[in-house]
Amino acid sequence: MAADVAVVVEHLNGTIAEVSFEMLGQGKRLAAALGGKLRAIVLGRDARAAAEACGTADAVLYVEHEALGGFDPEAHGKALAALCAESAPAVVLVGNSSKGMDLAPDLAVALGVPVVTNVGAVAIEGGTIVATSRLYGGKIHAEVQVAGGRAVLSVLAGAFPAEAGKSDRPAAVEGVAPPADLASRIAFQRLIEPEAADVDITKEDVLVSVGRGIQDKDNLEIVQELADALGCPLSASRPLVDLGWMPKSRQVGKSGVTVKPKLYIAIGISGAPEHVQGMKDAATIVAINSDPKAPIFDVAHYGVAADLFDVVPALTEKVRELKG
Amino acid sequence: MNGNEPSPGETLMNIVVPLQQTPDLVEELEINADGTDIDRDAVTLQLSEWDGQALEEALLLKEAGAGSVTAVTIDGGEADAILFTALAKGVDRAVKLKPSGDAPTGLDHHALARLLAAAVAQLGADLVLTGVQSVEDLDGQLPVLLAAMLGWPHVSVVTGTELRGGAIAVKQEYSGGVMAELEARLPAVIGIQAARQAPRYAPVSKVRQIQKTAKLEEMPVEAPSGEAGLKIRRVFKPEIAGRAEILEGEPAEIAAKLVSLLKDRGLAI
Ligand SMILES: Cc1cc2nc3c(=O)[nH]c(=O)nc-3n(C[C@H](O)[C@H](O)[C@H](O)COP(=O)(O)OP(=O)(O)OC[C@H]3O[C@@H](n4cnc5c(N)ncnc54)[C@H](O)[C@@H]3O)c2cc1C
């Protein structure tokens, strides 16, 4: 009912996305604050197995249908809207992932409720939903109050602890019939797995990671020299991959890979939420950025607020000296 | 992807690319007096990065014989510069939207989507390509809101498109380099993450020349009223968690400090 919280659980090839556990943990707290129940929603061709892993929820509703096999935004959107129209939860939490980006605003329009995007914090204040959205690459936040007591929240990965959403408790799963109309103008055709990479950056102890601050492809030489001196590979932020300067397999972040090295040196990377999501759990993070207000300094342990073209060569030299 | 050529007798399509103007993040953003928005008088606007990618993808479709490309943006700010640049890059039409009242602020994508939905209908679009997100996504990403208001299908986080008759095949990106191939029947709205190639560059001389010869079209549109259902309590700069210990000094000193720190912790050295 209007005090309940629903979490849309994302899964691929039998694995539940970490953000879903993060939302289940946070959803539990919100449901308690609202005096309602936490429901998990799982859609798919084989949704039951994923549903079983959501023991944190008071109830797990799963919908299985051939049309929900691959992610077809329209079919998934219809199934989700039908479920939410019926159960009318106060809050629906959706991950701000590729799939979530297609689902959240669409669901909000279908239900006629507000949507808040890029949510990094949420609270219930006297029955009112208050959410904080991280805007402008994380440089500015907006705290908003939702009108009408219901909302869809598109939640940033990494904003809440995943542990709070994991449970060994057997889940109370319940199969729900799909809506009669799952007709879609979109056809899911196939999944494309990435090609094997030369190095697997998720397995490295040390990464020198480079962003758009490097300015020119030829300048990559400067960071490559530091990486060579440290004996580690280079990784990168997304724009360098889109420019074709670095291979996709080296991309850290939301649409790349998540890395947890012992040491991560971020050079000329601003620290946009999509990047931070992929590296915030590195044991030691060093950031070199000429903008002292860059959000990367929020996640870094050590910061150098200076021009990379001065600092990086000096650093390379010192490393070489020490390593002999 | 290849094979974009329409088969003989097929009607050419009209691809509309809405372009958003968003603040340049290289500059420090300030908060307005009542703390409910950024200070819009003090920002430098530029073409939203992802809209630049959408424009490139649309031009690639056009070059493969798909039809024509119309770039639209709301009047004001850098509208002229952005549209003349789009013309220099090869769009067929450049349209300035003139709202009847106040233009929606960057933080009201519902209003922006409502306004664009009316423009898209007037322009008779078969396909809309626009950036998958902007740096101002407070109340939903534009392409999905726009599609929902038009009643069209949508796919977000797309990195490559190909027209196949009355449908568009797209690659949707998930995390870890995994992608999916989908086909959406037209008309549709596609949220572009990255074009198949880096956006082309329009030389300043060419933009200047276009500015002298071409004329931007103008289209009146109704200014929609707010429907996002959000009340902004405050807009603020997050306190720097102050987690990072900042190392100061000349480059050589900083390097020495950093190296000894890493050495003490048994990291890499
Ligand atoms: C669906 C989606 C998925 C995404 N997935 C990812 C992802 O997986 N990974 C990812 O990284 N991004 C991802 N992004 C993009 C993300 O939003 C940012 O655009 C991106 O992370 C910015 O990269 P950057 O920090 O290198 O560039 P910018 O934000 O442009 O930052 C460059 C930085 O360099 C600094 N700088 C400039 N000159 C110098 C100098 N001389 N010395 C030192 N510093 C300097 C600047 O101060 C600035 O902070 C995704 C976006 C979307 C929409």
Side-chain angles (χ1 to χ4, degrees), chain A residues 98 117 136 187 192 238 256 298 301, chain B residues 136 140 173 176 179 183 241 243:
Chain A
S98 294
T117 305
Y136 305 103
I192 308 167
R238 164 132 211 166
D298 254 0
H301 302 90
Chain B
E136 302 193 291
E173 216 183 86
M179 290 192 286
E183 202 172 276
R243 180 165 153 180

Side-chain angles (χ1 to χ4, degrees), chain A residues 183-250:
Chain A
S184 174
R185 291 161 291 184
I186 298 175
F188 177 90
Q189 299 196 305
R190 65 189 179 111
L191 210 57
I192 308 167
E193 300 285 349
E195 282 164 30
D198 55 338
V199 267
D200 181 353
I201 58 169
T202 65
K203 300 220 159 66
E204 296 287 333
D205 278 345
V206 181
L207 288 172
V208 167
S209 208
V210 56
R212 195 148 47 181
I214 199 73
Q215 287 158 27
D216 196 293
K217 189 173 186 203
D218 292 341
N219 295 338
L220 283 173
E221 191 63 31
I222 300 168
V223 282
Q224 185 66 57
E225 281 178 11
L226 175 60
D228 290 346
L230 290 167
C232 71
L234 274 184
S235 57
S237 67
R238 164 132 211 166
L240 269 57
V241 174
D242 287 339
L243 285 162
W245 298 355
M246 291 285 290
K248 184 81 189 170
S249 58
R250 305 289 182 103

Side-chain angles (χ1 to χ4, degrees), chain A residues 136 212, chain B residues 18-27 29 38 40 43-52 73-74 76-79 81-83 85 133-136:
Chain A
Y136 305 103
R212 195 148 47 181
Chain B
L19 300 174
Q20 266 181 273
Q21 306 180 36
T22 53
D24 184 351
L25 299 190
V26 169
E27 288 172 24
L29 297 177
I38 55 169
R40 303 230 168 234
V43 298
T44 307
L45 292 170
Q46 60 178 16
L47 175 62
S48 172
E49 181 177 340
W50 293 278
D51 292 351
T73 195
I74 295 180
E78 298 297 310
I82 285 171
L83 289 177
T85 306
Q133 69 170 21
S134 87
V135 294
E136 302 193 291

Side-chain angles (χ1 to χ4, degrees), chain A residues 101 211-213 215 236-239 251-256 268-272 274-275 288-291 294 306-309, chain B residues 49-50 132-133 157 193:
Chain A
M101 283 168 119
R212 195 148 47 181
Q215 287 158 27
S237 67
R238 164 132 211 166
Q251 184 189 318
V252 173
K254 174 174 176 167
S255 47
I269 294 177
S270 63
E274 294 88 356
H275 186 81
I288 302 173
N289 193 306
S290 50
D291 174 6
D307 193 325
L308 75 90
F309 298 104
Chain B
E49 181 177 340
W50 293 278
V132 65
Q133 69 170 21
V157 199
Q193 157 72 37

Side-chain angles (χ1 to χ4, degrees), chain A residues 80-198:
Chain A
L80 189 58
L83 255 182
C84 292
E86 203 167 304
S87 54
V91 179
V92 184
L93 301 177
V94 182
N96 196 46
S97 61
S98 294
K99 297 174 185 172
M101 283 168 119
D102 267 325
L103 292 175
D106 200 46
L107 178 65
V109 173
L111 297 176
V113 305
V115 57
V116 188
T117 305
N118 294 314
V119 170
V122 53
I124 306 297
E125 294 180 12
T128 302
I129 305 163
V130 178
T132 303
S133 168
R134 297 187 190 159
L135 303 170
Y136 305 103
K139 288 187 156 186
I140 304 268
H141 293 184
E143 185 184 274
V144 298
Q145 177 178 319
V146 175
R150 291 183 66 191
V152 175
L153 305 181
S154 188
V155 177
L156 289 172
F160 304 107
E163 283 318 309
K166 291 181 179 167
S167 164
D168 296 333
R169 223 169 57 125
V173 302
E174 185 191 326
V176 177
D181 172 27
L182 279 182
S184 174
R185 291 161 291 184
I186 298 175
F188 177 90
Q189 299 196 305
R190 65 189 179 111
L191 210 57
I192 308 167
E193 300 285 349
E195 282 164 30
D198 55 338

Side-chain angles (χ1 to χ4, degrees), chain A residues 12-27:
Chain A
L12 184 69
N13 297 333
T15 309
I16 295 180
E18 202 66 359
V19 68
S20 298
F21 290 116
E22 295 165 9
M23 292 190 295
L24 284 168
Q26 186 61 18

